[in-house]
Amino acid sequence: MIRVAILISGGGSNMVRLVEDMAGDHPGRPCVVVSNTAAAGGLAKAAAMGVPTVVVDHRAYPDRAAFEAAMQAELRRAGAEVVCLAGFMRVLTPDFVALWEGRMINIHPSLLPRHKGLHTHQRALDAGDTEAGASVHLVTATLDDGPVLGQARVPVLPGDTADTLGARVLAAEHRLYPAVLRQFLRELSGV
Ligand code: GRF
């Protein structure tokens, strides 16, 4: 079984789907959910599912390196072998990314390489995109730039707002991320 850590900053709806999927013949199991803020609604959801949680508050550290060292200590304590970023809103330094090279993935709410960064739904609307979606990618030192492992496409509909499009993309994320993680771990474990 591969021990999977999930990093969150907010509601954790993607984390919930990943935890729910890691059962039965799935090659992975959640070992810890880490949040950079105690305000993350996902912490209570993880605890309710029996997953250990820890808060490493980025504001409690003098700089990014100290914050990441504290996070890395928790990941090692939990025996994490793979890291899933799921709505984790802190940019990670190349040093931290290097520690997890090839073993850290992220979900981004756009069809990469289009719309890296924030406010992806509004930007898709502003660009007149007829399609939107989500991408799961390996995390590399450059933000939202690593090899894409899987994508889910949704139509942009007339009258869409960032909220209506975002909700449609999020529902697609909830199907995409578990499927990609399952396949990713199968490949890691040589199945
Ligand atoms: C999702 O839109 C995801 O693509 C982005 O942040 C949001 C996370 O939502 N990275 P949740 O915390 O998983 O509900």
Side-chain angles (χ1 to χ4, degrees):
M1 279 299 168
I2 298 175
R3 297 172 66 86
V4 177
I6 306 173
L7 275 52
I8 66 169
S9 298
S13 69
N14 276 291
M15 174 275 297
V16 168
R17 271 54 179 204
L18 294 178
V19 170
E20 287 173 340
D21 195 53
M22 282 190 266
D25 67 351
H26 192 297
R29 287 296 184 275
C31 63
V32 68
V33 168
V34 182
S35 174
N36 64 294
T37 170
L43 289 165
K45 296 172 191 171
M49 293 188 289
V51 181
T53 62
V54 65
V55 174
V56 181
D57 189 329
H58 64 279
R59 292 162 303 182
Y61 298 90
D63 55 42
R64 217 176 274 273
F67 163 63
E68 291 178 349
M71 224 171 23
Q72 180 64 7
E74 293 297 342
L75 293 172
R76 289 180 61 81
R77 189 196 317 261
E81 299 168 276
V82 164
V83 175
C84 292
L85 306 180
F88 187 69
M89 301 308 279
R90 304 300 298 172
V91 174
L92 297 166
T93 66
D95 286 349
F96 184 84
V97 170
L99 292 175
W100 293 96
E101 192 77 39
R103 291 178 172 267
M104 179 157 62
I105 61 179
N106 178 49
I107 188 156
H108 179 75
S110 82
L111 293 174
L112 293 173
R114 283 180 71 79
H115 308 314
K116 298 176 182 179
L118 298 174
H119 313 303
T120 59
H121 308 309
Q122 190 55 54
R123 288 161 59 199
L125 294 172
D126 295 346
D129 294 354
T130 56
E131 257 196 339
S135 307
V136 177
H137 63 96
L138 282 166
V139 175
T140 58
T142 308
L143 188 68
D144 299 334
D145 192 65
V148 172
L149 301 177
Q151 293 190 306
R153 295 173 181 276
V154 302
V156 177
L157 299 176
D160 260 337
T161 63
D163 287 346
T164 59
L165 179 56
R168 193 173 311 125
V169 171
L170 191 59
E173 292 177 33
H174 293 164
R175 293 189 298 273
L176 174 70
Y177 211 173
V180 171
L181 177 61
R182 195 181 271 257
Q183 183 54 30
F184 181 67
L185 295 183
R186 278 211 187 103
E187 285 162 11
L188 270 188
S189 54
V191 169

